[in-house]
Amino acid sequence: QASCWGDSHYGGDCSGVDFSNVTEIFSNDYGFVALKKHLGQASCWSSLGWLCSDVDFSNVTEIYSNPRAFVAWKKDLGQASCWGISDVGGDCSGVDFSGVTEIYSNYEAFVAWKKDRGQAICWGNRGGDCSRVDFSGVTEIYSSCFAFVALKKDLGQASC
């Protein structure tokens, strides 16, 4: 059982949500995801109608968010599902998640980093194009509101 309060347009009303067996809750600016990891299920509620009934939550290892989108990552399977506002990360249909080791977000974009391969794929708006960034040798990725930094700590270099 859970209690929600605050503005109902931003997830403050969860009266229709079944919280039994919930293992984790994730949020963004407009809503929540209550994950039942061991059952492969989730409940989503938000003011923008981001129902996640079409998302397969079986084998999800982690959920990431930015203020207007979510990513449900199946790390072991190299797969993910995204939902929310499509142009700020809610559509990842063209992203290959095989080999991804980490996912990062900023306000309007995501980065799926394949650290072992020295590659990354970015999607979304500001920060969603990393096609000119050389990720070989990158040791850390950081984000701000609308940007990312790929740090090559050992070389004392960074790509912004």
Side-chain angles (χ1 to χ4, degrees):
Q1 185 174 352
S3 297
C4 303
W5 63 96
D7 192 323
S8 62
H9 294 294
Y10 296 90
D13 179 6
C14 59
S15 56
V17 179
D18 175 10
F19 287 96
S20 59
N21 298 306
V22 167
T23 53
E24 295 176 82
I25 295 178
F26 302 90
S27 65
N28 68 12
D29 282 5
Y30 293 93
F32 295 91
V33 178
L35 180 63
K36 301 174 183 186
K37 190 179 270 190
H38 304 298
L39 298 176
Q41 302 172 350
S43 297
C44 304
W45 67 103
S46 79
S47 64
L48 300 177
W50 294 341
L51 302 178
C52 55
S53 57
D54 292 339
V55 178
D56 176 9
F57 287 96
S58 60
N59 300 304
V60 166
T61 53
E62 191 64 48
I63 293 180
Y64 295 90
S65 66
N66 69 21
R68 295 177 283 174
F70 289 99
V71 178
W73 185 28
K74 300 176 182 186
K75 183 177 183 176
D76 300 337
L77 299 177
Q79 301 171 355
S81 296
C82 302
W83 69 100
I85 297 176
S86 61
D87 64 347
V88 294
D91 179 6
C92 60
S93 56
V95 177
D96 175 10
F97 286 92
S98 61
V100 169
T101 54
E102 298 291 333
I103 295 177
Y104 298 90
S105 66
N106 73 10
Y107 197 81
E108 293 187 346
F110 292 94
V111 177
W113 186 23
K114 301 178 181 188
K115 184 176 183 176
D116 301 338
R117 298 179 188 174
Q119 302 171 343
I121 302 162
C122 304
W123 71 101
N125 197 2
R126 294 184 265 190
D129 181 6
C130 59
S131 58
R132 294 186 306 246
V133 178
D134 176 11
F135 285 93
S136 60
V138 168
T139 55
E140 304 288 335
I141 295 178
Y142 300 94
S143 65
S144 71
C145 193
F146 297 115
F148 293 98
V149 174
L151 176 65
K152 298 179 181 182
K153 188 184 276 185
D154 299 341
L155 300 175
Q157 300 173 348
S159 297
C160 304

